[in-house]
Amino acid sequence: MRRKIVAGNWKMNGSKDLVQQLVGVICDRAVGLDDAAEVVVIPPAPYVPLVQQQSDGKLALGVQNVSEWQSGAYTGEVSADMAKDLGCGFVLVGHSERRQLFGESDDVAARKVERVLESGLTAVLCVGETLEQREAGEAEQVVAEQVRRGLAGVAGDQWEGVVVAYEPVWAIGTGKTATAEDAQAMHAEIRSVLKAMDAPAEEISVLYGGSVKADNAAALFSEPDIDGGLIGGASLKADEFISICRSFPAGN
Ligand code: PGA
């Protein structure tokens, strides 16, 4: 059975006050329910200890980025080992904002995936096409290449630490979501790319991200190859996020 996961990516938002407002209610209303998913909160790195404290260890935690290097003179960077040391289980790699605003290439993403897996954490590799690429009919090819290159260094038993998040760039923060059918088609394509890489494709969770909200989550999560979501804006609103966490079909 693949893991069902809902991960809230707070991006560069939040404060100590927000942690206090959100974390307790999320724990009370979205964690440990039957048929619900693993709930992961991915705040800005400095807030990780506070989220952990507020959640009493009940929430899984992640960071939004780590360094491609292990340790040393890299001012401003945070390592995968540090994320682990803080109690994180997940690391986002290659989010489209990292690719677009910070020039992260597939090769950098691949090195980060390697660091994350070496540290024993789960790497959530984010992939997705731009609107121009979709309109040019290149979406599948672009996403397949990002998956192949970003996961090029993953070996045998490391695949259990890999999650893929399909996030079409045109859907992130725009209020436009891929239809459940289009998202399902891309998720199936991602799974076939993983298969061709000799990965245990049926066991790897593939999440959808891009304007997931309480009112579209259930349709997305009922598709057979969509194993949960990576949630940006809606993860900052308790009611929205909790109802997204509860949007999996019963018996899943
Ligand atoms: P969004 O962001 O839900 O605000 O579209 C998703 C993401 O960037 O992970």
Side-chain angles (χ1 to χ4, degrees), residues 5-61:
I5 298 169
V6 174
N9 171 16
W10 289 13
K11 309 195 180 187
M12 199 173 73
N13 296 298
S15 60
K16 289 193 282 182
D17 281 351
L18 189 85
V19 173
Q20 310 255 350
Q21 283 167 38
L22 278 185
V23 173
V25 260
I26 292 172
C27 287
D28 289 347
R29 293 173 50 205
V31 177
L33 306 167
D34 286 350
D35 295 328
E38 242 178 287
V39 180
V40 185
V41 168
I42 310 181
Y47 294 120
V48 164
L50 196 59
V51 174
Q52 193 169 43
Q53 194 191 333
Q54 292 283 315
S55 75
D56 232 351
K58 282 191 221 143
L59 276 177
L61 288 162

Side-chain angles (χ1 to χ4, degrees), residues 67-199:
S67 174
E68 67 194 273
W69 295 288
Q70 202 167 32
S71 67
Y74 301 105
T75 299
E77 295 286 274
V78 169
S79 73
D81 282 346
M82 291 169 189
K84 176 164 191 175
D85 198 25
L86 285 177
C88 290
F90 294 80
V91 180
L92 299 185
V93 177
H95 188 281
S96 69
E97 286 148 21
R98 302 294 318 167
R99 293 177 190 262
Q100 295 202 315
L101 304 172
F102 301 94
E104 283 191 14
S105 63
D106 288 323
D107 292 345
V108 170
R111 287 197 286 279
K112 292 185 176 189
V113 167
E114 287 174 41
R115 294 295 83 72
V116 172
L117 297 177
E118 279 164 14
S119 299
L121 303 178
T122 295
V124 182
L125 179 72
C126 304
V127 297
E129 80 286 357
T130 63
L131 188 58
E132 298 73 57
Q133 289 165 333
R134 175 155 284 259
E135 284 174 346
E138 295 165 359
E140 293 198 346
Q141 185 192 323
V142 166
V143 168
E145 192 64 7
Q146 289 173 337
V147 171
R148 275 194 288 268
R149 297 184 64 175
L151 300 176
V154 181
D157 60 352
Q158 291 185 314
W159 285 106
E160 67 186 67
V162 172
V163 168
V164 177
Y166 169 57
E167 299 202 298
V169 177
W170 48 269
I172 294 179
T174 58
K176 293 184 200 145
T177 326
T179 63
E181 295 72 30
D182 284 351
Q184 163 59 27
M186 188 63 89
H187 282 229
E189 168 66 15
I190 289 169
R191 221 175 284 291
S192 75
V193 172
L194 291 168
K195 224 171 264 168
M197 295 174 76
D198 275 339

